[in-house]
Amino acid sequence: MKYGILPGFFDIIPEDSKDPWRSIHIWNYVEKVLRETAAHYGFLEIRTPILERTELFQKSTGESSDIVTKEMYSFVDKGERAITLRPEGTPSVIRALIERQLHTGPSNLKLFYIGPMFRYERQQAGRYRQHHQFGAEAIGNGSPEQDVELIDLLLTSYRKLGLSNLKVCVNSIGDGESRQKFRQALLAYLEPQKEKLSAESRTRFETNPLRILDSKDPADREIVARAPSILDFLNSECLDHFQQVQALMGELGIAYRVEPKLVRGLDYYNKTVFEVMAGELGAQNSIGGGGRYDGLVESLGGPDLPSAGFGTGIERIIQTLLGQQAPCPAIEKPWLYIIALGSEAKLRAFKILHELRSQGIPAEMDFSDKKLQKMMQRANASQAAYSLVIGDEELKNNCLSIKSMQKGSVEKVSFEEIAHFLKSMVVPNS
Ligand code: HAM
């Protein structure tokens, strides 16, 4: 189609029978559960703009990240400003925190957001150029409890949505000092085998060697399998923090695996990093991930506030949910479909329609003046629980035949009894 949607983008429509994960009622349900769970954990919602200054992401997401080097939708606006469609939510939240002085309140700030992110990624199943994230950021607390509260919120959100069989991986990438020592050891290990690395990893050898650890290339993986472990380079403070994180996860009964090669692709992390994987997602199996980023607020011009957070892809949540056949409410169908025959009946039906809706009853009416048979077909297609035909007879006798669309059975009611009848018969979607 000449004016078709851009590659990597998708519409979320009322009901997508081909790709059910793109049906809006599932998105609304998932977002509702995520919002409620975040609120239970004391996180408050924040909405930041989708456009930000390009420099914000260069400085925070990082000059050596794939996102900044290859994937940003960046352009110059009419005011000659370099701007970017946000590729992730964390930098915007921290920008807003500093700019609006959100950290000056008495307690730590715990914020969450839901919204679209933009990354010009290679086309692949499960990878979109506009994806949507539920993210949470806890600013001002450096304790292991804070890390585990975030992991717990993420996993509780998944559990409330009925997801199971998720793998949780954790690691510590230490602080700058520990990482510097590890970097040297890693480079020394890789140097003699550098030529065998993939082209991408050879570039990373110069720019960000830690990222070679999570390369998907089979040759890289073989080399990396025997690489030194970052956990052997943690100083005592980072090691202690990581041990406490693990102990607390144990206390909460969270099953996890320590994965020393987990480094994550954004530059701001330190100490704890984590990722949650879902088998149903295929190659793009990361459903959510995050970690601690103690230096970020200060590096963007704010005070020294230790912080941590996570982001989880809503597309991937929904695909996992459907893949695992977790229960999910169906789209709300009308309780009643009204067909009116003749102008007097049509006016009466129109008023009833209004009255039912104002009582919270989802109802539909056919305005088309088509033949009865045609209108009955539409009533069927609407999947309403009941249908009602109103003509001269019904008006005269105040006696209506309300028909169950599923059972085919018919009940007699008066005009005054319709709402009561429907409320007693229809079980609404939860
Ligand atoms: P991230 O790992 O880049 O982290 O993204 C978080 C989640 O977003 C991923 O686990 C995945 O589910 C989803 N996601 C990312 N890219 C795509 C894509 N192209 N298509 C579909 N889903 C995608 C962050 O963005 C950090 N801001 C998380 C964070 C918050 N760390 C600390 N605070």
Side-chain angles (χ1 to χ4, degrees):
M1 183 192 166
K2 190 174 170 191
Y3 302 109
I5 196 164
L6 290 166
F9 288 70
F10 56 90
D11 300 307
I12 307 168
I13 60 176
E15 209 162 16
D16 194 325
S17 49
K18 191 167 141 268
D19 275 320
W21 67 269
R22 299 188 302 199
S23 304
I24 194 73
H25 68 284
I26 308 183
W27 284 72
N28 286 335
Y29 158 68
V30 168
E31 289 175 13
K32 182 166 171 274
V33 172
L34 295 174
R35 282 201 164 83
E36 283 170 4
T37 316
H40 287 163
Y41 278 71
F43 284 72
L44 305 173
E45 185 163 1
I46 183 166
R47 296 189 193 187
T48 59
I50 286 166
L51 279 175
E52 298 274 2
R53 292 177 199 275
T54 301
E55 284 167 304
L56 173 67
F57 302 110
Q58 288 168 334
K59 181 75 187 166
S60 46
T61 312
E63 295 283 10
S64 71
S65 67
D66 283 353
I67 294 179
V68 169
T69 51
K70 302 186 228 166
E71 296 169 358
M72 294 210 297
Y73 280 88
S74 299
F75 54 99
V76 176
D77 76 1
K78 291 187 189 355
E80 303 286 305
R81 294 174 203 91
I83 57 176
T84 292
L85 280 168
R86 66 176 181 205
E88 56 140 343
T90 312
S92 309
V93 170
I94 303 305
R95 195 253 329 121
L97 166 109
I98 298 169
E99 203 163 359
R100 305 293 304 275
Q101 298 277 298
L102 302 178
H103 54 280
T104 50
S107 58
N108 293 330
L109 203 56
K110 299 200 293 185
L111 299 170
F112 81 90
Y113 48 90
I114 293 180
M117 309 292 161
F118 302 84
R119 300 181 187 179
Y120 197 93
E121 298 210 66
R122 204 159 41 80
Q123 284 261 73
Q124 204 174 333
R127 244 194 205 170
Y128 307 96
R129 290 182 176 165
Q130 175 177 337
H131 75 278
H132 300 75
Q133 273 187 32
F134 163 58
E137 315 290 352
I139 300 129
N141 191 301
S143 70
E145 284 81 1
Q146 186 57 80
D147 301 1
V148 178
E149 183 190 54
L150 284 157
I151 295 172
D152 184 35
L153 165 59
L154 183 61
L155 298 178
T156 301
S157 304
Y158 294 146
R159 200 182 56 243
K160 284 201 176 169
L161 288 164
L163 306 190
S164 54
N165 274 330
L166 303 175
K167 290 196 180 59
V168 182
C169 292
V170 286
N171 191 24
S172 173
I173 57 166
D175 57 5
E177 180 202 10
S178 318
R179 256 194 322 280
Q180 190 51 31
K181 286 193 186 135
F182 174 64
R183 193 185 141 101
Q184 279 162 10
L186 182 64
L187 287 175
Y189 168 78
L190 292 172
E191 179 74 61
Q193 322 176 66
K194 197 176 155 192
E195 295 316 309
K196 291 194 219 137
L197 290 171
S198 66
E200 190 159 25
S201 289
R202 283 202 299 276
T203 312
R204 283 181 173 156
F205 187 89
E206 312 297 338
T207 55
N208 190 355
L210 264 66
R211 289 295 322 276
I212 299 176
L213 293 179
D214 65 9
S215 164
K216 301 271 185 290
D217 181 276
D220 290 352
R221 286 176 86 110
E222 213 170 292
I223 294 172
V224 153
R226 286 178 299 279
S229 163
I230 189 151
L231 296 176
D232 296 330
F233 292 80
L234 298 183
N235 61 22
S236 61
E237 195 226 324
C238 294
L239 190 61
D240 184 49
H241 185 98
F242 190 43
Q243 279 168 348
Q244 287 191 55
V245 165
Q246 291 177 66
L248 289 166
M249 287 175 78
E251 291 292 335
L252 298 194
I254 298 172
Y256 64 91
R257 204 180 69 205
V258 174
E259 179 44 82
K261 298 201 168 57
L262 177 67
V263 288
R264 297 204 22 91
L266 303 110
D267 286 3
Y268 45 64
Y269 291 118
N270 71 319
K271 291 187 177 165
T272 318
V273 288
F274 53 91
E275 209 146 288
V276 184
M277 262 74 80
E280 284 74 14
L281 292 172
Q284 297 301 311
N285 65 353
S286 164
I287 183 166
R292 179 154 283 289
Y293 51 89
D294 290 339
L296 182 62
V297 182
E298 198 174 18
S299 79
L300 290 176
D304 177 14
L305 291 173
S307 308
F310 68 73
T312 173
I314 299 182
E315 293 72 9
R316 294 188 187 176
I317 292 180
I318 295 176
Q319 287 165 1
T320 308
L321 184 147
L322 295 176
Q324 296 186 348
Q325 294 177 345
C328 165
I331 198 165
E332 175 99 279
K333 300 287 192 280
W335 295 11
L336 182 67
Y337 192 97
I338 309 175
I339 293 170
L341 304 171
S343 53
E344 203 184 328
K346 203 171 169 189
L347 179 60
R348 184 77 193 263
F350 194 55
K351 287 184 180 163
I352 292 169
L353 182 71
H354 169 79
E355 178 55 30
L356 293 175
R357 286 170 170 173
S358 62
Q359 290 194 43
I361 296 174
E364 271 305 322
M365 175 179 162
D366 199 313
F367 301 145
S368 70
D369 289 331
K370 293 240 177 339
K371 294 229 162 61
L372 178 60
Q373 200 193 357
K374 190 94 201 154
M375 292 202 277
M376 279 313 293
Q377 280 171 5
R378 292 200 192 182
N380 269 323
S382 80
Q383 297 183 40
Y386 287 89
S387 68
L388 178 61
V389 181
I390 306 175
D392 292 343
E393 265 312 277
E394 286 77 11
L395 285 181
K396 196 166 84 203
N397 302 330
N398 189 12
C399 179
L400 305 165
S401 302
I402 197 161
K403 181 180 168 192
S404 162
M405 300 298 279
Q406 238 179 15
K407 296 189 208 125
S409 56
V410 172
E411 301 268 350
K412 298 284 182 200
V413 293
S414 67
F415 280 106
E416 295 72 29
E417 288 165 343
I418 305 174
H420 177 74
F421 174 84
L422 291 170
K423 282 183 185 167
S424 65
M425 297 305 283
V426 182
V427 182
N429 284 350
S430 56

